[in-house]
Amino acid sequence: MPPPIRRLFALLLLLLCACAQAGELTLDALQRRFQPPLHVQPQLDDLPVWPITSELEPEAGPVGYVFESIDLAPIPGFEGTPMNLLVAIDRKGGFIDVEVLRQHEPVFLSGLGEAPLREFVQQYAGKSLKQEITVSSAYGNTRAGGSETRVVLDGVTKATASVRIVNQTVLAAGLAVARAKLGFADPGARGPTARARADLYERLDFATLLKRGLIGHLRVTHAQAEKLFAGTDGEGADEGALAEPGGTLVDLYVGYLNAPTVGRAVLGDARYGDLMKKLEDGQHALWLATAGRVALIDDQFVPGTPPPALSLTQSGLPVEMRDLVFEHPAPDGAPAFNASGVFRVYAQAGLDPARPMQFTLTLTRAKGMMLPRITHQTVTLDYRPEAALFVYPPEPPPEWLVAWAGRWPDLLAIGLALTLLSAVLARPDWVARDARRLALFRNVFLAFTLVFIGWYAQGQLSIVQITGAIKTLTAGQNLASFLYDPVSLLIIAFTVVSFFVWGRGTFCGWLCPFGALQEFVALAAQKLRVPQMRLPRGVARVLDRGRYALLAALVLSAALAPRLAESMVEVEPFKTAITVGFDRSWPYVAWAVGLLATGAFSYKFFCRFLCPLGAAMTLGGKLRRLDWLTRRAECGQPCQTCRHRCQYDAIERSGAIRYDDCFQCLDCVGIHADPQRCAPVLLYMKKGRTVAPFPVPVRAADARP
């Protein structure tokens, strides 16, 4: 391809990706959604969000924010394209509303329809970003729910992976805004915060607490303060400091009360117990006290507010602390304080009490009588309690791992089935030698594939997974969305491994639910003596090439025209017949039923001639390293028994197996292994001759003549 054309192609690709990940609403459209007294303001310059103000609180500033998820969290969906949700949160991090703007999930486009998805997102209203929000499913939920700090949303049957991605999208976008505009800390940057050990207690006096650093202490003398103000308008403005340079300006004390060793020593056992009852899960209590000429709080202090001259930071980020209005006695052995209080830090602030905390006290001096010039200087107390006082809880698992935990019974059942299938394919002679035994095993396994893997566990692999992966990678995203569908991922992994050992037929012949359904339809048709039609070899070859053309068209459309790909994948009836169990509008049902009906006359017609996923599987089967279907020297020369009985037309006149067309039904293996059905063995027996007890494999010719 010439360089100019390549550059034009790359530019077109970038434009398509940009269009797929851009917000779509205007200010006018948003204002129509939020009626007075609420008003949507113009979008901010530093963040793609629209502030919401209220006529009832004209001086309060924004009472909430509204934004499109695709601007903040363009997480690829199951189909590969990020969905776009309109999310509105209030100034405390509560959800006002969540609305679906645009989505490309196959199960919601024309399968279940968008109604279940819209009902799902309505559950966010009234919930909060301060809560742990997870999604249940029809396969069980491993997380407790129904508390103030943990919420479990009702999932959508047959769309478990998609709604988990919706949840991740809502939370990721909401937290991005909450951290930027609402002061939420980002605990995920360093994992879960430490918790005080309730079982660890030492009875220590106040002096020992100070010596070991369990209570932080900062002393500022007059001389030190004068040095801080040197060269400013505040220099020399404090006559008391000049008169007594060695005297104390302020003694600042800090203690972390959640730790029993500190809390019980400062408050006493009874008041400590009262405090622990008052604190909610994840909240922290700090004891602050001052002595000397500067007080922590004064007569103008408003209870329930932060201390006016003292601030707390951690890792460079501000942490708000508020007066708890908690009366308490002075600690035994402590000096006389001019002020003392208990202050609360809320859970969403993200404070980690086991990490260093910085308490900054602002010192103020005024110079002049009429229009005094005010000067501020700060001093900082670094405080870090002993690490032994804390324990770090295990980091909560990612949402995709929760999905795996919730599906472990299904994964175990499917894993055992795959193990059994592997054992049978590794040594197929015993099962296949008896035709009735093979039919029983195959029909039972295919019934498991159809009912359990397909209709129940929703493990039908689809061409959508290939086109979705292409869209995701084209958009510069990773394939993490595949982790939300553990059953499909397990089957994908097994199928990829099987390519190297047995070829494409392991999936197409044993693990495809729609393929199993087609086989049962064909068996029923044969029982009912429905006339069977074998296509001429030339026609079959032309039709076979058609599935590769479909695959190529789908791959190109996924990369260059994603909207077109969404329609083209409907050539595959898997979603209609398996994912939603024919619960769909009539054109899709008619197409699926029509293909099944065609398979009643022409054995597995769709699988052999139209399936684009089957074409991809065939290409994957090129990785096969073994010719594991054994043959005799007499196979095809002259014996044609297996070729005539193979309903897939996968055996050449020469007797060689065309692995590209083989669905591994094992019929030819059974004939080969059964001396009562293998024609060469029967012939030799009639002539009184014997054949070698072990088959002689010949190299299979995969390429057609």
Side-chain angles (χ1 to χ4, degrees), residues 58-98:
E59 305 298 329
V63 298
Y65 295 91
V66 60
F67 45 90
E68 295 180 67
S69 65
I70 202 166
D71 291 328
L72 298 160
I75 300 174
F78 184 76
E79 183 268 347
T81 304
M83 59 194 72
N84 193 17
L85 308 169
L86 185 67
V87 184
I89 60 174
D90 61 30
R91 59 189 170 198
K92 293 183 179 180
F95 286 103
I96 300 173
D97 190 25
V98 177

mmCIF file of all heavy atoms in Angstrom, residues 58-98:
data_model
loop_
_atom_site.group_PDB
_atom_site.id
_atom_site.type_symbol
_atom_site.label_atom_id
_atom_site.label_comp_id
_atom_site.label_asym_id
_atom_site.label_seq_id
_atom_site.Cartn_x
_atom_site.Cartn_y
_atom_site.Cartn_z
ATOM 1 N N PRO A 58 -28.955 29.865 45.924
ATOM 2 C CA PRO A 58 -28.221 30.655 44.923
ATOM 3 C C PRO A 58 -26.767 30.922 45.299
ATOM 4 O O PRO A 58 -25.937 31.144 44.422
ATOM 5 C CB PRO A 58 -29.030 31.958 44.847
ATOM 6 C CG PRO A 58 -29.779 32.026 46.131
ATOM 7 C CD PRO A 58 -30.082 30.613 46.507
ATOM 8 N N GLU A 59 -26.458 30.897 46.587
ATOM 9 C CA GLU A 59 -25.092 31.195 47.013
ATOM 10 C C GLU A 59 -24.278 29.936 47.285
ATOM 11 O O GLU A 59 -23.112 30.033 47.692
ATOM 12 C CB GLU A 59 -25.133 32.050 48.290
ATOM 13 C CG GLU A 59 -25.947 33.327 48.161
ATOM 14 C CD GLU A 59 -25.387 34.261 47.107
ATOM 15 O OE1 GLU A 59 -24.155 34.247 46.903
ATOM 16 O OE2 GLU A 59 -26.171 34.980 46.467
ATOM 17 N N ALA A 60 -24.878 28.782 47.091
ATOM 18 C CA ALA A 60 -24.212 27.539 47.484
ATOM 19 C C ALA A 60 -23.269 26.994 46.426
ATOM 20 O O ALA A 60 -22.530 26.052 46.688
ATOM 21 C CB ALA A 60 -25.261 26.478 47.815
ATOM 22 N N GLY A 61 -23.275 27.569 45.235
ATOM 23 C CA GLY A 61 -22.466 27.015 44.157
ATOM 24 C C GLY A 61 -23.115 25.759 43.606
ATOM 25 O O GLY A 61 -24.313 25.532 43.780
ATOM 26 N N PRO A 62 -22.353 24.916 42.935
ATOM 27 C CA PRO A 62 -22.938 23.707 42.353
ATOM 28 C C PRO A 62 -23.525 22.782 43.418
ATOM 29 O O PRO A 62 -22.890 22.518 44.447
ATOM 30 C CB PRO A 62 -21.752 23.042 41.647
ATOM 31 C CG PRO A 62 -20.774 24.144 41.398
ATOM 32 C CD PRO A 62 -20.921 25.062 42.571
ATOM 33 N N VAL A 63 -24.735 22.315 43.175
ATOM 34 C CA VAL A 63 -25.341 21.324 44.057
ATOM 35 C C VAL A 63 -25.174 19.918 43.478
ATOM 36 O O VAL A 63 -25.598 18.938 44.096
ATOM 37 C CB VAL A 63 -26.835 21.619 44.279
ATOM 38 C CG1 VAL A 63 -27.022 22.958 44.953
ATOM 39 C CG2 VAL A 63 -27.609 21.564 42.950
ATOM 40 N N GLY A 64 -24.564 19.831 42.314
ATOM 41 C CA GLY A 64 -24.313 18.551 41.692
ATOM 42 C C GLY A 64 -23.614 18.725 40.363
ATOM 43 O O GLY A 64 -23.320 19.858 39.926
ATOM 44 N N TYR A 65 -23.334 17.609 39.719
ATOM 45 C CA TYR A 65 -22.665 17.622 38.419
ATOM 46 C C TYR A 65 -23.296 16.542 37.535
ATOM 47 O O TYR A 65 -23.707 15.480 38.018
ATOM 48 C CB TYR A 65 -21.168 17.340 38.560
ATOM 49 C CG TYR A 65 -20.417 18.413 39.315
ATOM 50 C CD1 TYR A 65 -20.253 18.340 40.689
ATOM 51 C CD2 TYR A 65 -19.888 19.519 38.642
ATOM 52 C CE1 TYR A 65 -19.579 19.332 41.387
ATOM 53 C CE2 TYR A 65 -19.209 20.513 39.331
ATOM 54 C CZ TYR A 65 -19.061 20.417 40.698
ATOM 55 O OH TYR A 65 -18.395 21.402 41.382
ATOM 56 N N VAL A 66 -23.365 16.831 36.239
ATOM 57 C CA VAL A 66 -23.867 15.865 35.274
ATOM 58 C C VAL A 66 -22.803 15.694 34.191
ATOM 59 O O VAL A 66 -22.133 16.660 33.809
ATOM 60 C CB VAL A 66 -25.224 16.301 34.690
ATOM 61 C CG1 VAL A 66 -25.117 17.636 33.971
ATOM 62 C CG2 VAL A 66 -25.771 15.229 33.753
ATOM 63 N N PHE A 67 -22.646 14.461 33.703
ATOM 64 C CA PHE A 67 -21.567 14.186 32.759
ATOM 65 C C PHE A 67 -21.893 12.923 31.983
ATOM 66 O O PHE A 67 -22.755 12.117 32.372
ATOM 67 C CB PHE A 67 -20.239 14.023 33.493
ATOM 68 C CG PHE A 67 -20.314 13.154 34.716
ATOM 69 C CD1 PHE A 67 -20.099 11.795 34.649
ATOM 70 C CD2 PHE A 67 -20.632 13.715 35.943
ATOM 71 C CE1 PHE A 67 -20.189 11.000 35.768
ATOM 72 C CE2 PHE A 67 -20.728 12.926 37.081
ATOM 73 C CZ PHE A 67 -20.510 11.566 36.996
ATOM 74 N N GLU A 68 -21.195 12.757 30.861
ATOM 75 C CA GLU A 68 -21.325 11.560 30.037
ATOM 76 C C GLU A 68 -20.172 10.622 30.350
ATOM 77 O O GLU A 68 -19.006 11.029 30.367
ATOM 78 C CB GLU A 68 -21.338 11.933 28.562
ATOM 79 C CG GLU A 68 -22.548 12.761 28.153
ATOM 80 C CD GLU A 68 -22.534 13.122 26.680
ATOM 81 O OE1 GLU A 68 -22.668 12.197 25.849
ATOM 82 O OE2 GLU A 68 -22.384 14.315 26.366
ATOM 83 N N SER A 69 -20.490 9.363 30.568
ATOM 84 C CA SER A 69 -19.472 8.404 30.993
ATOM 85 C C SER A 69 -18.383 8.212 29.948
ATOM 86 O O SER A 69 -17.225 7.960 30.290
ATOM 87 C CB SER A 69 -20.121 7.054 31.312
ATOM 88 O OG SER A 69 -20.687 6.477 30.139
ATOM 89 N N ILE A 70 -18.714 8.357 28.673
ATOM 90 C CA ILE A 70 -17.735 8.084 27.624
ATOM 91 C C ILE A 70 -16.600 9.098 27.636
ATOM 92 O O ILE A 70 -15.503 8.835 27.153
ATOM 93 C CB ILE A 70 -18.433 8.036 26.248
ATOM 94 C CG1 ILE A 70 -17.590 7.243 25.243
ATOM 95 C CG2 ILE A 70 -18.745 9.438 25.734
ATOM 96 C CD1 ILE A 70 -18.308 6.853 23.995
ATOM 97 N N ASP A 71 -16.846 10.293 28.209
ATOM 98 C CA ASP A 71 -15.802 11.312 28.299
ATOM 99 C C ASP A 71 -14.814 11.025 29.427
ATOM 100 O O ASP A 71 -13.693 11.548 29.426
ATOM 101 C CB ASP A 71 -16.423 12.696 28.527
ATOM 102 C CG ASP A 71 -17.180 13.203 27.311
ATOM 103 O OD1 ASP A 71 -16.768 12.873 26.192
ATOM 104 O OD2 ASP A 71 -18.180 13.916 27.494
ATOM 105 N N LEU A 72 -15.227 10.214 30.402
ATOM 106 C CA LEU A 72 -14.421 9.996 31.592
ATOM 107 C C LEU A 72 -14.014 8.543 31.781
ATOM 108 O O LEU A 72 -12.975 8.266 32.381
ATOM 109 C CB LEU A 72 -15.185 10.468 32.838
ATOM 110 C CG LEU A 72 -15.530 11.961 32.851
ATOM 111 C CD1 LEU A 72 -16.658 12.234 33.824
ATOM 112 C CD2 LEU A 72 -14.293 12.769 33.231
ATOM 113 N N ALA A 73 -14.823 7.614 31.327
ATOM 114 C CA ALA A 73 -14.536 6.187 31.513
ATOM 115 C C ALA A 73 -14.990 5.404 30.289
ATOM 116 O O ALA A 73 -15.985 4.683 30.340
ATOM 117 C CB ALA A 73 -15.225 5.667 32.770
ATOM 118 N N PRO A 74 -14.290 5.534 29.170
ATOM 119 C CA PRO A 74 -14.693 4.809 27.946
ATOM 120 C C PRO A 74 -14.288 3.336 28.007
ATOM 121 O O PRO A 74 -13.408 2.876 27.282
ATOM 122 C CB PRO A 74 -13.943 5.562 26.843
ATOM 123 C CG PRO A 74 -12.705 6.075 27.530
ATOM 124 C CD PRO A 74 -13.112 6.392 28.955
ATOM 125 N N ILE A 75 -14.943 2.584 28.882
ATOM 126 C CA ILE A 75 -14.621 1.173 29.074
ATOM 127 C C ILE A 75 -15.292 0.356 27.967
ATOM 128 O O ILE A 75 -16.504 0.446 27.791
ATOM 129 C CB ILE A 75 -15.092 0.701 30.455
ATOM 130 C CG1 ILE A 75 -14.384 1.521 31.561
ATOM 131 C CG2 ILE A 75 -14.815 -0.788 30.648
ATOM 132 C CD1 ILE A 75 -14.898 1.231 32.945
ATOM 133 N N PRO A 76 -14.535 -0.445 27.224
ATOM 134 C CA PRO A 76 -15.161 -1.224 26.138
ATOM 135 C C PRO A 76 -16.188 -2.199 26.678
ATOM 136 O O PRO A 76 -15.981 -2.840 27.713
ATOM 137 C CB PRO A 76 -13.972 -1.967 25.506
ATOM 138 C CG PRO A 76 -12.771 -1.211 25.941
ATOM 139 C CD PRO A 76 -13.089 -0.644 27.288
ATOM 140 N N GLY A 77 -17.304 -2.296 25.993
ATOM 141 C CA GLY A 77 -18.322 -3.255 26.369
ATOM 142 C C GLY A 77 -17.995 -4.630 25.832
ATOM 143 O O GLY A 77 -16.944 -4.860 25.229
ATOM 144 N N PHE A 78 -18.922 -5.559 26.046
ATOM 145 C CA PHE A 78 -18.722 -6.927 25.588
ATOM 146 C C PHE A 78 -18.535 -6.982 24.078
ATOM 147 O O PHE A 78 -17.786 -7.798 23.561
ATOM 148 C CB PHE A 78 -19.938 -7.765 26.004
ATOM 149 C CG PHE A 78 -19.824 -9.218 25.675
ATOM 150 C CD1 PHE A 78 -19.024 -10.043 26.434
ATOM 151 C CD2 PHE A 78 -20.517 -9.766 24.606
ATOM 152 C CE1 PHE A 78 -18.907 -11.396 26.133
ATOM 153 C CE2 PHE A 78 -20.411 -11.105 24.301
ATOM 154 C CZ PHE A 78 -19.600 -11.924 25.069
ATOM 155 N N GLU A 79 -19.193 -6.055 23.377
ATOM 156 C CA GLU A 79 -19.121 -6.016 21.915
ATOM 157 C C GLU A 79 -17.898 -5.258 21.429
ATOM 158 O O GLU A 79 -17.544 -5.327 20.264
ATOM 159 C CB GLU A 79 -20.426 -5.388 21.391
ATOM 160 C CG GLU A 79 -20.568 -5.323 19.887
ATOM 161 C CD GLU A 79 -20.057 -4.002 19.330
ATOM 162 O OE1 GLU A 79 -19.840 -3.073 20.123
ATOM 163 O OE2 GLU A 79 -19.864 -3.909 18.111
ATOM 164 N N GLY A 80 -17.209 -4.542 22.328
ATOM 165 C CA GLY A 80 -15.984 -3.848 21.963
ATOM 166 C C GLY A 80 -16.091 -2.347 21.918
ATOM 167 O O GLY A 80 -15.078 -1.658 21.890
ATOM 168 N N THR A 81 -17.318 -1.787 21.893
ATOM 169 C CA THR A 81 -17.514 -0.346 21.825
ATOM 170 C C THR A 81 -17.936 0.178 23.191
ATOM 171 O O THR A 81 -18.830 -0.382 23.814
ATOM 172 C CB THR A 81 -18.602 0.003 20.791
ATOM 173 O OG1 THR A 81 -18.241 -0.568 19.526
ATOM 174 C CG2 THR A 81 -18.748 1.512 20.649
ATOM 175 N N PRO A 82 -17.304 1.266 23.682
ATOM 176 C CA PRO A 82 -17.740 1.814 24.972
ATOM 177 C C PRO A 82 -19.182 2.288 24.912
ATOM 178 O O PRO A 82 -19.620 2.871 23.921
ATOM 179 C CB PRO A 82 -16.771 2.987 25.195
ATOM 180 C CG PRO A 82 -15.600 2.698 24.327
ATOM 181 C CD PRO A 82 -16.145 1.977 23.125
ATOM 182 N N MET A 83 -19.911 2.031 25.958
ATOM 183 C CA MET A 83 -21.273 2.557 26.048
ATOM 184 C C MET A 83 -21.218 3.973 26.588
ATOM 185 O O MET A 83 -20.209 4.397 27.165
ATOM 186 C CB MET A 83 -22.129 1.658 26.935
ATOM 187 C CG MET A 83 -21.640 1.491 28.345
ATOM 188 S SD MET A 83 -22.470 0.127 29.163
ATOM 189 C CE MET A 83 -21.739 -1.279 28.351
ATOM 190 N N ASN A 84 -22.282 4.719 26.421
ATOM 191 C CA ASN A 84 -22.338 6.104 26.897
ATOM 192 C C ASN A 84 -23.548 6.267 27.803
ATOM 193 O O ASN A 84 -24.681 6.051 27.379
ATOM 194 C CB ASN A 84 -22.411 7.091 25.721
ATOM 195 C CG ASN A 84 -22.159 8.518 26.163
ATOM 196 O OD1 ASN A 84 -21.634 8.753 27.249
ATOM 197 N ND2 ASN A 84 -22.528 9.472 25.348
ATOM 198 N N LEU A 85 -23.285 6.633 29.055
ATOM 199 C CA LEU A 85 -24.326 6.809 30.053
ATOM 200 C C LEU A 85 -24.298 8.237 30.558
ATOM 201 O O LEU A 85 -23.222 8.827 30.729
ATOM 202 C CB LEU A 85 -24.118 5.850 31.226
ATOM 203 C CG LEU A 85 -23.938 4.370 30.867
ATOM 204 C CD1 LEU A 85 -23.469 3.591 32.080
ATOM 205 C CD2 LEU A 85 -25.229 3.792 30.345
ATOM 206 N N LEU A 86 -25.454 8.800 30.786
ATOM 207 C CA LEU A 86 -25.549 10.121 31.395
ATOM 208 C C LEU A 86 -25.683 9.923 32.900
ATOM 209 O O LEU A 86 -26.616 9.272 33.372
ATOM 210 C CB LEU A 86 -26.758 10.889 30.857
ATOM 211 C CG LEU A 86 -26.880 12.335 31.352
ATOM 212 C CD1 LEU A 86 -25.749 13.188 30.805
ATOM 213 C CD2 LEU A 86 -28.233 12.918 30.961
ATOM 214 N N VAL A 87 -24.730 10.472 33.646
ATOM 215 C CA VAL A 87 -24.683 10.284 35.091
ATOM 216 C C VAL A 87 -24.781 11.645 35.772
ATOM 217 O O VAL A 87 -24.096 12.593 35.383
ATOM 218 C CB VAL A 87 -23.376 9.581 35.518
ATOM 219 C CG1 VAL A 87 -23.371 9.308 37.020
ATOM 220 C CG2 VAL A 87 -23.188 8.281 34.748
ATOM 221 N N ALA A 88 -25.628 11.735 36.784
ATOM 222 C CA ALA A 88 -25.762 12.967 37.578
ATOM 223 C C ALA A 88 -25.565 12.608 39.039
ATOM 224 O O ALA A 88 -26.186 11.678 39.558
ATOM 225 C CB ALA A 88 -27.137 13.599 37.367
ATOM 226 N N ILE A 89 -24.659 13.352 39.713
ATOM 227 C CA ILE A 89 -24.414 13.126 41.138
ATOM 228 C C ILE A 89 -24.576 14.442 41.879
ATOM 229 O O ILE A 89 -24.403 15.529 41.317
ATOM 230 C CB ILE A 89 -22.999 12.556 41.382
ATOM 231 C CG1 ILE A 89 -21.920 13.525 40.865
ATOM 232 C CG2 ILE A 89 -22.843 11.194 40.743
ATOM 233 C CD1 ILE A 89 -20.498 13.086 41.196
ATOM 234 N N ASP A 90 -24.931 14.346 43.162
ATOM 235 C CA ASP A 90 -25.051 15.556 43.962
ATOM 236 C C ASP A 90 -23.710 15.881 44.608
ATOM 237 O O ASP A 90 -22.726 15.158 44.420
ATOM 238 C CB ASP A 90 -26.166 15.422 45.006
ATOM 239 C CG ASP A 90 -25.924 14.290 45.995
ATOM 240 O OD1 ASP A 90 -24.746 13.974 46.275
ATOM 241 O OD2 ASP A 90 -26.909 13.711 46.507
ATOM 242 N N ARG A 91 -23.654 16.950 45.382
ATOM 243 C CA ARG A 91 -22.373 17.412 45.924
ATOM 244 C C ARG A 91 -21.845 16.532 47.052
ATOM 245 O O ARG A 91 -20.728 16.721 47.522
ATOM 246 C CB ARG A 91 -22.514 18.850 46.418
ATOM 247 C CG ARG A 91 -23.555 19.045 47.494
ATOM 248 C CD ARG A 91 -23.765 20.512 47.755
ATOM 249 N NE ARG A 91 -24.919 20.765 48.604
ATOM 250 C CZ ARG A 91 -25.524 21.937 48.700
ATOM 251 N NH1 ARG A 91 -25.077 22.956 47.984
ATOM 252 N NH2 ARG A 91 -26.563 22.096 49.478
ATOM 253 N N LYS A 92 -22.645 15.553 47.500
ATOM 254 C CA LYS A 92 -22.173 14.614 48.506
ATOM 255 C C LYS A 92 -21.777 13.269 47.898
ATOM 256 O O LYS A 92 -21.425 12.347 48.618
ATOM 257 C CB LYS A 92 -23.268 14.395 49.559
ATOM 258 C CG LYS A 92 -23.571 15.627 50.398
ATOM 259 C CD LYS A 92 -24.609 15.309 51.467
ATOM 260 C CE LYS A 92 -24.899 16.535 52.329
ATOM 261 N NZ LYS A 92 -25.914 16.243 53.381
ATOM 262 N N GLY A 93 -21.859 13.155 46.576
ATOM 263 C CA GLY A 93 -21.494 11.908 45.922
ATOM 264 C C GLY A 93 -22.643 10.950 45.738
ATOM 265 O O GLY A 93 -22.437 9.795 45.350
ATOM 266 N N GLY A 94 -23.873 11.402 45.985
ATOM 267 C CA GLY A 94 -25.036 10.552 45.765
ATOM 268 C C GLY A 94 -25.490 10.609 44.324
ATOM 269 O O GLY A 94 -25.383 11.656 43.659
ATOM 270 N N PHE A 95 -26.014 9.505 43.812
ATOM 271 C CA PHE A 95 -26.500 9.464 42.436
ATOM 272 C C PHE A 95 -27.883 10.110 42.350
ATOM 273 O O PHE A 95 -28.805 9.718 43.075
ATOM 274 C CB PHE A 95 -26.587 8.025 41.933
ATOM 275 C CG PHE A 95 -25.244 7.409 41.632
ATOM 276 C CD1 PHE A 95 -24.667 6.509 42.512
ATOM 277 C CD2 PHE A 95 -24.558 7.740 40.476
ATOM 278 C CE1 PHE A 95 -23.435 5.945 42.247
ATOM 279 C CE2 PHE A 95 -23.324 7.183 40.199
ATOM 280 C CZ PHE A 95 -22.760 6.285 41.088
ATOM 281 N N ILE A 96 -27.999 11.096 41.488
ATOM 282 C CA ILE A 96 -29.305 11.689 41.192
ATOM 283 C C ILE A 96 -30.016 10.853 40.146
ATOM 284 O O ILE A 96 -31.193 10.511 40.286
ATOM 285 C CB ILE A 96 -29.146 13.138 40.693
ATOM 286 C CG1 ILE A 96 -28.461 13.998 41.769
ATOM 287 C CG2 ILE A 96 -30.501 13.726 40.323
ATOM 288 C CD1 ILE A 96 -28.113 15.396 41.292
ATOM 289 N N ASP A 97 -29.281 10.477 39.100
ATOM 290 C CA ASP A 97 -29.892 9.692 38.026
ATOM 291 C C ASP A 97 -28.793 9.118 37.141
ATOM 292 O O ASP A 97 -27.686 9.664 37.063
ATOM 293 C CB ASP A 97 -30.834 10.565 37.197
ATOM 294 C CG ASP A 97 -31.680 9.752 36.220
ATOM 295 O OD1 ASP A 97 -31.888 8.559 36.498
ATOM 296 O OD2 ASP A 97 -32.113 10.303 35.202
ATOM 297 N N VAL A 98 -29.098 8.001 36.493
ATOM 298 C CA VAL A 98 -28.246 7.420 35.452
ATOM 299 C C VAL A 98 -29.151 7.065 34.279
ATOM 300 O O VAL A 98 -30.195 6.437 34.462
ATOM 301 C CB VAL A 98 -27.502 6.166 35.949
ATOM 302 C CG1 VAL A 98 -26.691 5.550 34.810
ATOM 303 C CG2 VAL A 98 -26.584 6.503 37.122
#
